[in-house]
């Protein structure tokens, strides 16, 4: 059963929050961030303000997936992660 967009938003917020709090993550989490952001961007039910930050979140996931040092990538985005988590609430 596919997740509805509220569950997708919750999952995305949870992953980003963990990255923010733990300053670490995995490549598979970055891939999940990409998939969730892409799916939410394609969903007409998602709020316009949320859609404005989703491309940045997608780029963050993609950057993390290809980063040589994922923890440094996450640390470099700490301020943005906090803003994104708040924006998805």
């Amino acid at each position: 059963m596919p997740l509805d967009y509220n569950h997708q938003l919750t999952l995305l917020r949870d992953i980003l929050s963990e990255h923010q709090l733990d300053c670490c993550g995995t490549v598979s989490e970055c891939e999940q961030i990409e998939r969730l952001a892409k799916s939410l961007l394609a969903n007409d039910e998602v709020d316009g303000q949320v859609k404005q930050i989703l491309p940045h979140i997608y780029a963050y996931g993609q950057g993390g997936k290809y980063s040589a040092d994922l923890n440094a990538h996450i640390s470099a985005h700490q301020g943005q992660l906090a803003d994104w988590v708040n924006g998805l609430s």
Side-chain angles (χ1 to χ4, degrees):
M1 179 174 102
L3 296 175
D4 71 21
Y5 81 96
N6 284 318
H7 289 110
Q8 288 177 327
L9 279 174
T10 300
L11 180 56
L12 182 58
R13 187 172 51 244
D14 288 349
I15 296 170
L16 294 173
S17 181
E18 285 181 21
H19 281 204
Q20 179 195 5
L21 295 172
D22 298 340
C23 290
C24 64
T26 65
V27 170
S28 63
E29 287 173 340
C30 291
E31 292 171 338
Q32 181 75 359
I33 289 168
E34 277 185 300
R35 287 191 301 271
L36 288 165
K38 188 174 182 178
S39 177
L40 288 164
L41 276 167
N43 189 327
D44 293 334
E45 296 180 64
V46 176
D47 181 72
Q49 288 184 331
V50 171
K51 281 198 175 191
Q52 289 180 5
I53 62 174
L54 286 172
H56 303 286
I57 294 171
Y58 179 85
Y60 165 79
Q62 193 168 49
K65 182 169 77 171
Y66 295 115
S67 177
D69 185 346
L70 180 54
N71 293 343
H73 173 75
I74 293 169
S75 293
H77 289 85
Q78 282 300 299
Q80 291 166 303
L81 286 166
D83 292 341
W84 295 336
V85 168
N86 289 334
L88 295 175
S89 296

